[in-house]
Amino acid sequence: MELAAGGKMSPKITTELLKQLRQVMKSPKYVQEPVQAYIVPSGDAHQSEYIAPCDCRRAFISGFDGSAGTAIVTEQHAAMWTDGRYFLQAANQMDNNWTLMKMGLKDTPTQEDWLVSVLPEGSKVGVDPFIIPADQWKRMSKVLRSAGHDLVPIKENLIDTIWTDCPQRPCKPLITLDLSYTGVSWRDKIVALRSKMAERKVLWFVVTALDEVAWLFNLRGSDVEYNPVFFAYAVIGMNTIRLFIDGDRMTDPAVREHLQLDSTLEPEFKIQVMPYGSILTELQAVGASLSPKEKVWLSDKASYALTEAVPKAYQYLTPYTPICIAKAVKNTSETEGMRRAHVKDAVALCELFNWLEKEVPKGTVTEIIAADKAEEFRSQQKDFVELSFATISSTGPNGAIIHYKPVPETNRTLSVNEIYLLDSGAQYKDGTTDVTRTMHFGTPSAYEKECFTYVLKGHIAVSAAIFPNGTKGHLLDSFARSALWDCGLDYLHGTGHGVGSFLNVHEGPCGISYKTFADEPLEAGMIVSDEPGYYEDGSFGIRIENVVLVIPAETKYNFKNRGSLTFEPLTLVPIQTKMIDVSLLTQKELNWVNDYHQKCREVIGAELERQGRLEALQWLIRETEPLIRVQ
Amino acid sequence: MELAAGGKMSPKITTELLKQLRQVMKSPKYVQEPVQAYIVPSGDAHQSEYIAPCDCRRAFISGFDGSAGTAIVTEQHAAMWTDGRYFLQAANQMDNNWTLMKMGLKDTPTQEDWLVSVLPEGSKVGVDPFIIPADQWKRMSKVLRSAGHDLVPIKENLIDTIWTDCPQRPCKPLITLDLSYTGVSWRDKIVALRSKMAERKVLWFVVTALDEVAWLFNLRGSDVEYNPVFFAYAVIGMNTIRLFIDGDRMTDPAVREHLQLDSTLEPEFKIQVMPYGSILTELQAVGASLSPKEKVWLSDKASYALTEAVPKAYQYLTPYTPICIAKAVKNTSETEGMRRAHVKDAVALCELFNWLEKEVPKGTVTEIIAADKAEEFRSQQKDFVELSFATISSTGPNGAIIHYKPVPETNRTLSVNEIYLLDSGAQYKDGTTDVTRTMHFGTPSAYEKECFTYVLKGHIAVSAAIFPNGTKGHLLDSFARSALWDCGLDYLHGTGHGVGSFLNVHEGPCGISYKTFADEPLEAGMIVSDEPGYYEDGSFGIRIENVVLVIPAETKYNFKNRGSLTFEPLTLVPIQTKMIDVSLLTQKELNWVNDYHQKCREVIGAELERQGRLEALQWLIRETEPLIRVQ
């Protein structure tokens, strides 16, 4: 799955809300001095990709609820910046009070330049310092200052002051993960983190990303839909551990036991639990206590508020934290868990596709029904927790909308005449899945098969690629496109993203995309998706996605003893052979498909049998018949 | 050719020189206040890759004459930073006064960090502001300042003060290029530049790179070996043109006529000729004359001295100048010239290889003799000017030294038992060439053929690649490596660089390398090299290099009407079929080789015949026999 999609399509009437916001922008109750502009970024205080309802402030003020977008409201204007994925959606969801700023188009000004062009001299631009990442603050502040304006932090979030029915911040119970899932205890993770800190000569590390907190303590939550995380920060010193978390979650005996809160521990492993809201003052106290050369390590994407809590001379900022990098390399317990999760996920999908094959010709299955059925089959599997993202269930022209999510207004009925694309995944206690299959329940056209086969060739080119240790994923992106490029085709998204282990379905620091350059090199144990596609506007969408594990490759030679890597598919769901034009495959590609299907049949077949799902087993056996080249 | 190589290998004794330098570092005659460290970067005031002897200051002070390296001398230490290509050479050329800082190794400090660790509190670090690029100044200055030190510009170059026999700055006659070579007059280039300036709302453009000055005025020089450039700057206003150039070169009637110095011209095309050394004061005057919002455009690699001449608020800095980008896209006159140059170059190489085939078995041909012979054959061709870089003529283990240049101490005799690698090129008045061929004059081993064939597969993968308009070259780099990677092999250099049109053999802003990310997208008319390789330390080196032209590609479909591109080889020199293991080629690759050789035979054969070089013609015909797959 590439990215989340937006929801309803009728504009929100925002006249009254904007009036209220403009009032509080001048109200001494909230601002020391009036601000002439207020920025409402996407995102929460943890720079999360998926956010809780209480953090959907930009959607509240504008109506536009896509995953990316920044609103700026001035006394005269209200403008929304978003990217090509959301031009249509944003235009549909916003009323006439709003101007859509189409990012990526030549004539679209940056937020800073636009502000400079519309603001009266010497203006103040306000923003919630917890929501804006430090690097973004720096860039904006510089441009505004050089034009005679000021970017100012507004302590109280101004949207929250007018959002009367704002939902509460979630505070759901925690799940503890034992060693059989995590492979490494939280104590050992702290030890490893401190050794990285010592290497870089930093005394403190501030954990701001929610998945990093969850990973470090081997805890999971459900504060944010699809992402098994919980609202918390942590500050790790060489001898102290502070966990900032709210609610009565720390009264749960299982959690207390897991964190050894009531045990006699060496002091350096004693966790001090503090209120979520006290992070800023605690961090300021840490900052104030530092001597020269003592450093505090933060992600350079941490909020301006937390970054500024540490005096500049003591800040040590990196694009990827040591936790982000350690988390990306899965240990044996985690990869075994991911394997189990993918076997269960494949069982659910075999059931689904078998069911669809029977039901679609009746004309009663809509995109939403198919998505619900997928969830139903998944939820029957052991340790199922929730979906890992909103299911992309799309048929015909809807499939060409890359980030589509079916809603009643767009819901289309599956038929034997259209291609069906299903991009879906789940959170199991032992792993996270994300798989896309593109099917035809009738007879695909030669052109549809041709395009599908190019996409498949790209998928195989990445999956079977052998590359030296130390190679960055972005260098593999073109392999996925080569067959499409040869015919003048392409797709406008990256080829793969990192996948968490019962954590976020999108995680750094690795991936396979032409858009990035600063990704960390791939190494054995990392897990990414491999998902090339082809989309024909108004007609159909094709995508073939497996989650793959980076593994060592055996090669004939070994240049400079660097060693080589390749991928092993964790996803084991048949790729519909009906869609393949075998004449376009090389022998090597044909063998790859047959080997892959052989493995699906063996591994998933055994599990289907074990679960007594014999009809789905028959479907699997049919769908994994070896391809034969017709001469 | 990838990069220039260094020369002699015995250490220079620098004790006395360092003593003198440390004296002038404290001498009120040269410095306002004593400096505790002095930085001697590579490079000249134009950030040239190839520099004139008078600019080889780092080599003078240290003995190390590789193409990349920075020396820093403090009261106690002398240290040299260079990269992996030069570790051995630098260690051999420098005496015990010097510490080698191996860049890219984990424990090697940056120059800034090292300075901070060795300097006494509150030190001053001196550097020639004309030699250090502005971006580098900014980075160093920031780190030093935060540690309580100061980076200070020293007007007089301190090396020059102790370099008693420093060669004079060259001031050689100019060559004028008429429209048949350039396709566009200098006046039209100025018009186009001013339109780019208007687009970006800048009033002035400062031309600092030597090849940009040469290109803009359709002039060439020979102040720097291999690069047909001359020492000059230019400052272009919306109504003025100032050319800063020394010597009596402007008295040459041909040059005066070419630049219309004595004609009655519209004032905006009247060139004001000024002394080379007056650029700084003139630019300061421009800077002082500016009103708010008036900007001066400079490369962000321009020297600190020139950048600082313009107040910061008026600077407009970009990584690639509009001239750099315009220069990269060759017009029809230029591509036709490049074609002609490559035909002549191929004729010379057919003569050479025919000659080598006869002479090598006698055991009398050394690497130097072969290189000289290559130059001799090239110099017989029309409009030959000089070589475009120092010929890499290497046999056996020397071939594995990627930036090798034969010198008497290393000179090896070609034999029928070793692979021979020749990477060479020339400047012709109509174009620049750069070609590598790897040959065996006896019987190559199966392993040598295997490696050669992987390199060839990589070369073809790039050359035959089809990719969308707007693709950046770095995304094609992995295509060149895929066949090597499959067997665990690789090469540690980029795959290609931009090539000038009777200009520098290395030019931006495009290329094919995993190391870059900020390259400009490839477009039709750009010219790059395609030169994958494989190097086995102590045994042999293999590289296959063509210069290729980016051309539109015909494709079956045309996604989003973007159009597609591919490459056309300009280099037409046979690739030795004896080195190819045909069984490793796909049918498509086999066809590519046969088509390429067919074109060599037709185009170069006709020219060899025209020039009456009948023996070389026979050689060409033999070497271009179609490959046949043995079943």
Side-chain angles (χ1 to χ4, degrees), chain B residues 287-591:
Chain B
S289 74
L290 296 169
S291 321
K293 298 218 174 175
E294 295 185 344
K295 296 266 182 195
V296 179
W297 196 342
L298 287 137
S299 161
D300 66 1
K301 274 146 222 93
S303 69
Y304 174 73
L306 294 192
T307 310
E308 282 305 295
V310 179
K312 198 159 255 127
Y314 303 132
Q315 295 171 3
Y316 182 76
L317 308 181
T318 59
Y320 300 114
T321 70
I323 297 187
C324 173
I325 293 170
K327 176 165 64 64
V329 183
K330 276 70 178 173
N331 60 42
T332 314
S333 306
E334 289 171 323
T335 53
E336 286 314 307
M338 286 293 266
R339 272 183 224 282
R340 285 194 307 273
H342 280 82
V343 169
K344 294 182 283 190
D345 213 53
V347 165
L349 285 188
C350 288
E351 283 281 14
L352 175 76
F353 291 136
N354 175 53
W355 181 83
L356 285 176
E357 248 182 40
K358 288 182 302 178
E359 298 299 319
V360 167
K362 300 178 189 164
T364 53
V365 183
T366 65
E367 293 167 341
I368 293 178
I369 290 174
D372 290 345
K373 200 75 188 172
E375 181 163 4
E376 181 189 322
F377 283 123
R378 281 190 164 104
S379 68
Q380 294 165 2
Q381 295 298 313
K382 189 176 165 234
D383 278 345
F384 171 85
V385 178
E386 61 172 334
L387 298 185
S388 56
F389 57 94
T391 299
I392 298 174
S393 170
S394 56
T395 185
N398 287 343
I401 304 167
I402 297 173
H403 303 100
Y404 179 77
K405 174 192 160 180
V407 288
E409 292 92 322
T410 62
N411 195 17
R412 205 173 164 91
T413 302
L414 277 63
S415 89
V416 294
N417 302 314
E418 287 183 347
I419 287 181
Y420 176 64
L421 185 159
L422 179 75
D423 185 351
S424 61
Q427 299 288 1
Y428 302 90
K429 219 176 148 183
D430 38 15
T432 303
T433 67
D434 179 1
V435 45
T436 309
R437 287 294 179 270
T438 304
M439 323 273 290
H440 203 294
F441 299 106
T443 307
S445 72
Y447 178 61
E448 288 166 338
K449 288 173 68 175
E450 184 186 356
C451 294
F452 183 93
T453 308
Y454 296 146
V455 174
L456 175 62
K457 287 166 82 80
H459 179 92
I460 296 171
V462 169
S463 195
I466 294 171
F467 48 92
N469 244 316
T471 303
K472 293 182 169 192
H474 74 262
L475 292 171
L476 308 179
D477 183 81
S478 299
F479 290 158
R481 298 174 201 274
S482 181
L484 287 162
W485 282 357
D486 278 346
C487 294
L489 303 180
D490 197 7
Y491 55 95
L492 301 181
H493 59 73
T495 301
H497 53 81
V499 179
S501 180
F502 183 31
L503 259 181
N504 296 357
V505 72
H506 291 160
E507 68 169 26
C510 59
I512 303 174
S513 175
Y514 64 98
K515 295 176 202 168
T516 51
F517 187 62
D519 49 332
E520 287 285 309
L522 293 170
E523 56 179 293
M526 285 180 166
I527 293 178
V528 295
S529 70
D530 169 14
E531 47 178 316
Y534 176 67
Y535 310 91
E536 188 123 326
D537 285 346
S539 304
F540 61 81
I542 292 167
R543 186 160 64 250
I544 303 172
E545 176 186 22
N546 281 351
V547 168
V548 295
L549 171 68
V550 182
I551 57 169
E554 293 296 320
T555 52
K556 189 170 175 187
Y557 306 112
N558 187 7
F559 179 65
K560 305 253 179 211
N561 280 311
R562 284 195 296 175
S564 293
L565 300 171
T566 186
F567 297 111
E568 177 199 332
L570 297 179
T571 305
L572 292 173
V573 177
I575 294 163
Q576 197 178 39
T577 51
K578 185 204 280 188
M579 288 291 291
I580 301 174
D581 181 341
V582 178
S583 74
L584 296 176
L585 295 184
T586 65
Q587 191 58 43
K588 209 178 134 191
E589 290 163 343
L590 189 81
N591 294 345

Side-chain angles (χ1 to χ4, degrees), chain A residues 106 138 142 199 293 447 450-451 454 464-468 471 474-479 481-482 485-492 513-517 534-535 537 554-560 562 564 588, chain B residues 106 116 138 142 199 447 450-451 454 464-468 471 474-479 481-482 485-492 513-517 534-535 537 554-560 562 564 588:
Chain A
K106 217 182 130 191
K138 200 174 158 183
K142 198 177 156 183
E199 237 173 57
K293 299 220 171 171
Y447 178 60
E450 184 186 356
C451 295
Y454 296 147
I466 294 171
F467 49 91
T471 302
H474 73 263
L475 292 170
L476 308 180
D477 183 81
S478 298
F479 289 158
R481 298 175 200 274
S482 181
W485 282 357
D486 278 345
C487 295
L489 303 180
D490 197 6
Y491 55 96
L492 301 181
S513 175
Y514 64 97
K515 295 177 201 168
T516 52
F517 187 62
Y534 175 68
Y535 310 90
D537 285 346
E554 292 297 319
T555 52
K556 189 170 175 188
Y557 307 111
N558 188 6
F559 179 64
K560 305 251 180 212
R562 284 195 295 175
S564 292
K588 210 179 132 191
Chain B
K106 216 182 131 191
V116 169
K138 201 173 157 185
K142 197 176 158 186
E199 236 173 57
Y447 178 61
E450 184 186 356
C451 294
Y454 296 146
I466 294 171
F467 48 92
T471 303
H474 74 262
L475 292 171
L476 308 179
D477 183 81
S478 299
F479 290 158
R481 298 174 201 274
S482 181
W485 282 357
D486 278 346
C487 294
L489 303 180
D490 197 7
Y491 55 95
L492 301 181
S513 175
Y514 64 98
K515 295 176 202 168
T516 51
F517 187 62
Y534 176 67
Y535 310 91
D537 285 346
E554 293 296 320
T555 52
K556 189 170 175 187
Y557 306 112
N558 187 7
F559 179 65
K560 305 253 179 211
R562 284 195 296 175
S564 293
K588 209 178 134 191

Side-chain angles (χ1 to χ4, degrees), chain A residues 521-596:
Chain A
L522 293 170
E523 55 180 293
M526 286 179 165
I527 292 179
V528 296
S529 70
D530 169 14
E531 46 177 317
Y534 175 68
Y535 310 90
E536 188 124 325
D537 285 346
S539 306
F540 62 82
I542 292 166
R543 184 158 67 250
I544 303 171
E545 175 185 24
N546 282 351
V547 167
V548 295
L549 171 67
V550 182
I551 57 168
E554 292 297 319
T555 52
K556 189 170 175 188
Y557 307 111
N558 188 6
F559 179 64
K560 305 251 180 212
N561 279 311
R562 284 195 295 175
S564 292
L565 299 171
T566 186
F567 298 110
E568 178 200 332
L570 297 179
T571 305
L572 293 173
V573 177
I575 294 164
Q576 197 178 39
T577 50
K578 184 203 281 187
M579 288 291 292
I580 301 175
D581 180 343
V582 179
S583 73
L584 296 176
L585 294 185
T586 65
Q587 191 57 43
K588 210 179 132 191
E589 290 162 343
L590 189 80
N591 294 344
W592 186 94
V593 173
N594 287 340
D595 291 349
Y596 179 72

Side-chain angles (χ1 to χ4, degrees), chain A residues 11 40 46-47 74 120 122 153 177 200 266 419 429 477:
Chain A
V40 187
H46 305 269
Q47 283 64 56
T74 68
L177 290 183
R200 307 288 185 101
E266 307 93 302
I419 289 181
K429 217 177 150 185
D477 183 81

Side-chain angles (χ1 to χ4, degrees), chain A residues 347-511:
Chain A
V347 164
L349 286 187
C350 288
E351 284 281 13
L352 175 75
F353 292 136
N354 175 53
W355 182 84
L356 285 176
E357 249 182 40
K358 289 182 302 179
E359 299 298 319
V360 167
K362 301 179 188 162
T364 53
V365 183
T366 64
E367 293 167 339
I368 293 178
I369 290 174
D372 290 345
K373 199 75 187 173
E375 181 164 3
E376 180 188 326
F377 283 123
R378 281 191 163 104
S379 67
Q380 294 165 3
Q381 294 297 313
K382 190 178 164 233
D383 278 345
F384 171 85
V385 179
E386 61 172 334
L387 298 186
S388 56
F389 57 95
T391 299
I392 299 174
S393 170
S394 56
T395 186
N398 287 344
I401 304 167
I402 298 175
H403 303 101
Y404 179 78
K405 174 194 159 181
V407 287
E409 292 92 323
T410 62
N411 195 18
R412 204 173 165 90
T413 302
L414 278 62
S415 88
V416 295
N417 302 314
E418 286 184 348
I419 289 181
Y420 176 63
L421 184 159
L422 178 75
D423 185 351
S424 61
Q427 299 288 1
Y428 301 90
K429 217 177 150 185
D430 39 14
T432 303
T433 66
D434 179 1
V435 45
T436 309
R437 287 295 179 268
T438 305
M439 323 272 289
H440 202 294
F441 299 105
T443 306
S445 73
Y447 178 60
E448 288 167 337
K449 288 172 67 174
E450 184 186 356
C451 295
F452 183 93
T453 309
Y454 296 147
V455 173
L456 175 62
K457 286 166 82 81
H459 179 92
I460 296 171
V462 169
S463 196
I466 294 171
F467 49 91
N469 243 315
T471 302
K472 292 182 171 193
H474 73 263
L475 292 170
L476 308 180
D477 183 81
S478 298
F479 289 158
R481 298 175 200 274
S482 181
L484 288 162
W485 282 357
D486 278 345
C487 295
L489 303 180
D490 197 6
Y491 55 96
L492 301 181
H493 59 72
T495 301
H497 54 82
V499 179
S501 181
F502 183 30
L503 260 180
N504 297 357
V505 72
H506 291 160
E507 69 169 25
C510 59

